[in-house]
Amino acid sequence: RGKGMLLAAEFIADRETKGRRVNELERRRALALDVNRIGTAPSTTALTGALREYRDAEAKVFASSPRARALLAPPLTTRETLAEIAGDDAVIVEYALGESRSFVWAVSRSGLASAILPPRSVIEDAAARLFRAVTARNATANDASVDTRRARLQAADRQASSAARDLARLIVDPVGGRMAEGRRLVFIVDGALSTVPFAFLPLRGRLLSEDHALALAPSATMMSALRQPRDPNRGTLAVFADPVFEA
């Protein structure tokens, strides 16, 4: 039993190390996509390898302790659960980016729409173009005059509108019919889509923010967990300690 505890703790520490490596690579990629282009983006091979190592480390944790698995990998959220969370006025839109193809699901109480999207590289390139165009106003430039600055910003705005239309064709239009049904849109994003200003994307000739209330959620599982009723008779206790998953 004591050996099992030590083994689980060792695997958990390795998982955390691998997770920090993935986070660092994602941070470097985000900086490289910034308008100021800080540093060089890590290669897709490096990111894929780091994610594979993280998943392998996580698999070892799960195999070593059922209790660790229960804490770190809660049950998957079903379509029926998502529809219940969405209620009568919301559509939950979730993206999953893949190397050869990507996917989107739009879930509401009335049904599910899904579509196959282009590969991660195509979508993330479009997202990066939009991010650079939207943040161009923040770039420092030695404009010769007020008119020069105005012209530069107007050009940036035109580029942002064009980039928004291009990205919307990739990730919004395939499930646009279902999205149009919701007064609220909740996006669960993946990868570089976390940098996308969804309020700026068009749907049927109008910005999403004009007709919908928008929100981001970390995951469907988190949304489900936050909606679980709490026992009013139970108090709240905060504990800071090293985790022990087997006693």
Side-chain angles (χ1 to χ4, degrees):
R1 181 176 298 176
K3 182 178 179 181
M5 291 169 55
L6 292 175
L7 189 61
E10 178 183 340
F11 288 151
I12 290 170
D14 184 52
R15 172 182 177 271
E16 292 177 349
T17 299
K18 299 297 194 305
R20 286 193 293 270
R21 171 62 176 164
V22 172
N23 290 338
E24 173 61 19
L25 291 174
E26 288 286 2
R27 185 187 70 83
R28 286 171 49 195
R29 180 171 64 172
L31 288 174
L33 292 175
D34 185 82
V35 65
N36 295 313
R37 293 180 175 271
I38 303 173
T40 303
S43 66
T44 301
T45 301
L47 278 169
T48 302
L51 284 169
R52 186 182 300 113
E53 290 180 0
Y54 172 78
R55 289 167 182 154
D56 290 344
E58 189 171 60
K60 291 179 181 178
V61 174
F62 294 164
S64 69
S65 171
R67 295 181 66 186
R69 183 182 183 89
L71 287 172
L72 298 175
L76 294 176
T77 303
T78 64
R79 188 187 75 178
E80 290 74 15
T81 302
L82 280 179
E84 183 65 26
I85 294 172
D88 295 326
D89 64 344
V91 177
I92 298 174
V93 185
E94 181 168 7
Y95 295 95
L97 305 185
E99 297 304 317
S100 59
R101 57 181 178 174
S102 303
F103 302 90
V104 60
W105 299 270
V107 183
S108 68
R109 178 160 286 182
S110 61
L112 166 70
S114 63
I116 297 176
L117 305 181
R120 172 191 292 270
S121 59
V122 174
I123 293 175
E124 293 197 335
D125 284 348
R129 288 197 299 273
L130 175 58
F131 183 81
R132 288 194 294 268
V134 170
T135 57
R137 285 178 169 270
N138 302 329
T140 56
N142 296 321
D143 297 317
S145 66
V146 173
D147 289 338
T148 301
R149 172 178 171 79
R150 182 181 299 112
R152 178 174 63 83
L153 295 181
Q154 289 174 345
D157 290 343
R158 288 193 296 271
Q159 291 175 2
S161 295
S162 175
R165 289 192 297 270
D166 291 342
L167 183 58
R169 280 193 288 268
L170 295 177
I171 68 172
V172 172
D173 291 355
V175 289
R178 180 68 62 185
M179 291 172 63
E181 298 175 0
R183 186 180 64 82
R184 295 185 299 119
L185 299 178
V186 181
F187 293 97
I188 302 173
V189 298
D190 186 20
L193 290 181
S194 61
T195 67
V196 171
F198 281 88
F200 198 61
L201 299 185
L203 173 62
R204 299 179 177 178
R206 291 173 59 85
L207 300 183
L208 288 178
S209 57
E210 292 183 278
D211 299 317
H212 309 275
L214 308 180
L216 291 176
S219 69
T221 301
M222 181 64 71
M223 292 180 65
S224 177
L226 291 174
R227 289 178 61 89
Q228 295 299 318
R230 296 185 60 183
D231 185 348
N233 297 318
R234 295 178 61 183
T236 300
L237 176 65
V239 178
F240 299 87
D242 293 331
V244 176
F245 296 108
E246 292 186 7

